[in-house]
Amino acid sequence: LGGIIWAYNEKIKSCEDYPNYWDLLRDVTYNISKENAPFFYKVGIHPRTICEDLKGKSFLPDQIKKGLEKHLKDPKCLGIGEIGLDNEDLVQEFILKEQLKWCASYLPEDKKIGIHTPRNKKTEITKKILEILKDFKDLFDKIVIDHIELSTINLIKHTNMQIGMTLQKGKSGILYL
C-alpha cells in the first residue's frame, strides 16, 4: 500500500487557500505514513482549481510562491502537480505557464512536475500542452505527463518526459504497447 496525493481540491476559493490546502496534504501524508504506508504528496494549482482572485493576475502571488518553496523542501513532497490544461481556457494556459516559469528557476533538482491532461478533447489539448512545454525544454527530464492513453502515448514517448497513467475508472484504461 502506498501512493501519491495530488494537489486537487474543488473548494479552493482564494490564493490564500492553496498553502493551507498543501499543509493539509502534508499532514495527511505524514499521518498515513505512520502506518508504514509510503505516501507522498505534490503541490501546485490544478487547472480545475484556479480560484477567482488568480484570474486576471499577471504573476503568481507571493503566498503561492512561498507555499511552493516551503513544501518543496519537504522530503514527502515529490514536486508540483497536477498542473496542466483541462480545456482551452486562456486562464488555465496562463497559470500553467506561470507555474512552469517558477519551476524553471526554483524547482529543486530532485523534484518532479506532474502534468494533467484532460478527459475530453484529450489529443487536441495534449498537443496544446506539448506546444507550451516546448518553451521549457530544460524541464523535460522532470516532467511526468499523466492520464495518457493510446490516443496520446505516441505524442509523448519520444520526448525526455515520463509517461504517467492514473488507474482509475473514467480516467484512463490499461495500455497495450
Side-chain angles (χ1 to χ4, degrees), residues 119-154:
R119 294 177 191 178
N120 300 316
K121 294 185 172 182
K122 184 172 281 292
T123 301
E124 179 183 333
I125 294 174
T126 299
K127 286 179 181 178
K128 177 67 176 169
I129 290 167
L130 294 172
E131 190 63 34
I132 290 168
L133 291 174
K134 285 181 182 177
D135 291 336
F136 299 93
K137 289 186 180 186
D138 291 345
L139 296 175
F140 277 19
D141 63 333
K142 295 179 178 206
I143 292 175
V144 179
I145 306 286
D146 202 12
H147 313 308
I148 58 103
E149 59 186 30
L150 287 175
S151 69
T152 56
I153 193 167
N154 287 329

Side-chain angles (χ1 to χ4, degrees), residues 2 15 35 70 98 104 153:
C15 293
E35 304 297 321
K70 170 186 165 184
E98 286 300 301
I153 193 167

Side-chain angles (χ1 to χ4, degrees), residues 68-77 108 111:
L68 291 172
E69 290 173 23
K70 170 186 165 184
H71 284 281
L72 288 167
K73 291 176 185 172
D74 190 310
K76 289 262 183 207
C77 182
K111 304 297 181 179

Side-chain angles (χ1 to χ4, degrees), residues 7 9-23 43-46 49-68 70-71 91 94-95 98-99:
N9 184 332
E10 294 175 346
K11 295 182 178 168
I12 299 290
K13 300 294 181 213
S14 77
C15 293
E16 295 168 6
D17 292 339
Y18 293 108
N20 294 333
Y21 176 63
W22 301 333
D23 288 347
V43 294
I45 302 169
H46 190 285
T49 65
I50 297 171
C51 63
E52 286 300 316
D53 57 350
L54 259 182
K55 296 175 182 177
K57 295 251 190 243
S58 58
F59 56 88
L60 283 180
D62 284 341
Q63 69 259 44
I64 291 176
K65 292 177 189 177
K66 288 177 184 174
L68 291 172
K70 170 186 165 184
H71 284 281
V91 173
F94 172 77
I95 297 299
E98 286 300 301
Q99 290 181 97

Side-chain angles (χ1 to χ4, degrees), residues 73-90:
K73 291 176 185 172
D74 190 310
K76 289 262 183 207
C77 182
L78 297 178
I80 291 186
E82 292 173 286
I83 64 174
L85 300 177
D86 202 57
N87 56 47
E88 300 173 90
D89 184 280
L90 292 176

